Amino acid sequence: MASTTETKNYKFNHSMIRVKDPKESVKFYEFLGMKLLKKLEFPEAEFDLYFLGYDSPTAVSGGKNLWDREGLIELTHNHGTENDPNYTINNGNVEPFRGFGHTCISVDNIQAACKRIEGEGYRFQKKLTDGRMRHIAFALDPDGYWVEIVGQKPLEETEAVETTDLETYRMNHTMIRVKDAEKSLKFYQEVLGMTLLRTSANEKGGFNLYFLGYSDVPAAGQGTADREGLLELTWNYGTEKDEAFSYHDGNKGPQGFGHICVSVDSLDAACARLESLEVSWKKMLTDGRMKNVAFVLDPDGYWVEIVQNENFTGKDNF
């Protein structure tokens, strides 16, 4: 294992959400073109983890080792929830438990892709034809989590296209709301080493969107829809001035979203670096029984898991 760490080697590996029924959730994400890459079972602790991502020959992370990828979704299933009629998920978009917003896939032909999803019987939070923003849609997964659908091509270019190729899809980004944009941008850039790729300011709506990732800034005129593994920070103006205001981290009741995860070149060195930067820890490497993962807290209290990229060690983490 490397004795030093460089943030240029880091990857935004996955986003974790809790699910009620893994069979239904895996079926949904596989319908969106993802592949079940790994299942980890923890029978003594009574939970299982399912890692899904795009794995076609044209996928950005296709064929790579699990922790060397970006843009994965981790589904966490606590045994028995599928049989509990009272168990529900907090999708992060209902007051007073807002925080996590959505995951997002980018597709080749957005009209055909949305028609295919609707034809399978899945519900939408927002269809393409709803509202003023006709270039995005939001599908609902079996637990009510929002999955944004965006196009990789201009809307008018795909209007008459009736087919869609799942092998072109990307797990583009994960969105979380942040209280103080300045503090969050500093954390994700200076502490975790991400790059600010794009900013979308909506003064009339009173919010800004910031897209960050471990990749190069797109050239002028190019968007980020062809990327995978991005983080979108949504900042609503004025929240930073309200001392009593806070977002729900997804891990306090009612639970839903769990964490995002960054894989690193050297777990020991990366954690030592984070400690030198005086981060807030949820779990240090030396805490508990799992000595191969750590969790830091971002300025809003969202959990950020830190794991070893096995490409730098030649050993699987689990």
Side-chain angles (χ1 to χ4, degrees):
M1 183 183 294
S3 59
T4 60
T5 187
E6 296 184 75
T7 58
K8 68 178 182 180
N9 295 323
Y10 292 11
K11 293 179 181 290
F12 179 12
N13 182 251
H14 69 257
S15 302
M16 185 278 266
I17 55 175
R18 297 172 176 89
V19 300
K20 178 183 176 78
D21 188 333
K23 290 183 180 179
E24 292 300 320
S25 295
V26 169
K27 178 183 176 183
F28 171 81
Y29 288 103
E30 287 184 335
F31 182 77
L32 295 184
M34 295 185 186
K35 178 182 177 181
L36 179 60
L37 303 171
K38 194 178 188 73
K39 178 183 178 183
L40 296 175
E41 299 180 347
F42 300 88
E44 292 183 359
E46 297 187 331
F47 71 90
D48 298 326
L49 308 177
Y50 301 78
F51 293 87
L52 297 103
Y54 288 105
D55 198 44
S56 75
T58 58
V60 180
S61 289
K64 293 184 179 181
N65 292 325
L66 187 72
W67 308 106
D68 192 42
R69 294 174 181 254
E70 293 196 290
L72 302 183
I73 291 182
E74 174 190 352
L75 308 180
T76 293
H77 170 237
N78 294 296
H79 297 177
T81 55
E82 70 277 19
N83 299 317
D84 183 353
N86 297 316
Y87 182 84
T88 57
I89 291 291
N90 167 28
N91 71 4
N93 291 299
V94 179
E95 293 288 8
F97 308 115
R98 292 204 310 163
F100 166 77
H102 60 260
T103 55
C104 172
I105 64 169
S106 67
V107 300
D108 54 352
N109 306 314
I110 190 169
Q111 296 92 339
C114 289
K115 184 177 180 180
R116 175 178 174 272
I117 295 169
E118 186 174 5
E120 191 66 12
Y122 290 114
R123 298 176 298 136
F124 278 76
Q125 177 66 27
K126 178 199 175 299
K127 297 182 180 181
L128 281 177
T129 53
D130 296 338
R132 292 178 297 176
M133 300 180 72
R134 300 301 176 93
H135 62 291
I136 61 173
F138 285 89
L140 294 173
D141 89 344
D143 288 292
Y145 290 114
W146 297 11
V147 180
E148 184 178 13
I149 318 292
V150 300
Q152 298 167 1
K153 306 171 188 175
L155 194 64
E156 59 276 7
E157 185 178 322
T158 59
E159 190 170 5
V161 180
E162 297 183 355
T163 60
T164 184
D165 182 359
L166 299 180
E167 293 196 354
T168 66
Y169 288 19
R170 301 278 189 267
M171 214 309 257
N172 182 250
H173 70 256
T174 295
M175 186 277 266
I176 55 175
R177 300 174 178 90
V178 299
K179 175 177 179 174
D180 188 319
E182 184 176 346
K183 290 181 179 179
S184 295
L185 287 169
K186 182 177 181 179
F187 174 83
Y188 285 103
Q189 291 178 100
E190 297 182 14
V191 177
L192 292 184
M194 291 185 180
T195 298
L196 179 60
L197 304 175
R198 182 166 67 90
T199 300
S200 177
N202 189 327
E203 294 185 2
K204 288 185 178 180
F207 66 90
N208 287 359
L209 309 177
Y210 304 92
F211 293 85
L212 302 101
Y214 293 109
S215 56
D216 297 330
V217 176
Q222 291 186 345
T224 54
D226 63 335
R227 307 289 181 94
E228 69 175 9
L230 303 185
L231 179 67
E232 177 188 352
L233 306 180
T234 295
W235 170 54
N236 292 292
Y237 300 169
T239 52
E240 75 284 3
K241 299 176 183 178
D242 184 351
E243 292 185 6
F245 184 87
S246 64
Y247 283 114
H248 193 278
D249 66 6
N251 291 301
K252 297 185 292 287
Q255 293 184 322
F257 167 77
H259 62 260
I260 61 172
C261 174
V262 173
S263 66
V264 299
D265 47 7
S266 169
L267 185 56
D268 289 333
C271 287
R273 174 182 173 272
L274 292 169
E275 179 68 9
S276 73
L277 294 172
E278 299 182 343
V279 300
S280 297
W281 294 94
K282 179 64 183 179
K283 178 198 176 298
M284 302 182 75
L285 275 181
T286 53
D287 297 338
R289 291 180 297 175
M290 298 184 70
K291 307 298 184 182
N292 55 352
V293 298
F295 286 88
V296 299
L297 299 174
D298 88 344
D300 287 282
Y302 294 115
W303 298 13
V304 182
E305 184 180 21
I306 312 296
V307 300
Q308 176 67 51
N309 182 337
E310 71 267 53
N311 270 26
F312 291 89
T313 62
K315 298 185 297 183
D316 195 359
N317 294 335
F318 295 91

